[in-house]
Every structure is written in structure tokens, then in C-alpha cells.
Amino acid sequence: MHLILYSKPGCHLCEGLQEKLEQVRNPPLELEIRDITTNDDWFAAYQYEVPVLAGVQGEQEKMIPRPSPRASVSQLERMLQKYSGTLS
């Protein structure tokens, strides 16, 4: 499963979500981190929304609801398993 995490430097919610995503084993993830401060379009779209999580399906991105910062790795895995079916 290919995921994109839109993030920005100094965002503690972003760092926490990235740390948990890196621990997810099922489904296997290909995690791409995009720093919104490096792209004007990303910054305009997500400056007040980060962290933003998107799944990649072909050439399109499908937004995934942001998990609670209190979600455990296992809860995150269950949520991603639910969405992985819609991205295949």
C-alpha cells in the first residue's frame, strides 16, 4: 500500500503519525513523506490541515481520514486494512 503523508517541519502530530506508520506491518506500506513547505500548491491546500494522509491508486490520490493522535499502531493497522481494499 502506497501512502503519502503531507507534513511540515515542527509538526508534532505529523511526527507522531509518521512514527506510528513506520511501525505498521500489515498491510505492508510504502510511505512517502511530502513536506508541504517545499511546494506552493501543497502548502496552500494543507497548511491548516497537516498531517494529511492519502493513499495512492494508480496516478490518483485518495484522502484517508486522519487517525486520532491517540490511536495505537494496531488501531492504525486496522484502519489502513479497511482502506487498503478501496485502493487496490
Side-chain angles (χ1 to χ4, degrees):
M1 180 177 196
H2 181 179
L3 293 180
I4 298 170
L5 176 61
Y6 289 94
S7 180
K8 67 180 178 183
C11 171
H12 298 294
L13 291 175
C14 302
E15 293 165 358
L17 181 54
Q18 179 179 345
E19 185 178 300
K20 289 177 185 175
L21 287 168
E22 289 171 347
Q23 296 177 51
V24 168
R25 298 293 171 243
N26 187 24
L29 298 182
E30 175 188 338
L31 183 61
E32 178 182 345
I33 309 298
R34 291 188 178 172
D35 178 352
I36 65 166
T37 64
T38 63
N39 180 295
D40 291 337
D41 292 334
W42 297 342
F43 189 79
Y46 304 125
Q47 65 180 321
Y48 302 115
E49 304 295 324
V50 291
V52 174
L53 193 57
V56 177
Q57 181 178 22
E59 295 294 316
Q60 294 192 333
E61 295 177 23
K62 183 174 183 179
M63 295 301 148
I64 297 174
R66 181 181 351 174
S68 167
R70 295 181 181 177
S72 66
V73 173
S74 61
Q75 289 171 319
L76 190 56
E77 284 181 334
R78 285 192 297 274
M79 185 196 86
L80 292 172
Q81 287 169 0
K82 174 183 166 186
Y83 284 96
S84 68
T86 66
L87 296 172
S88 342

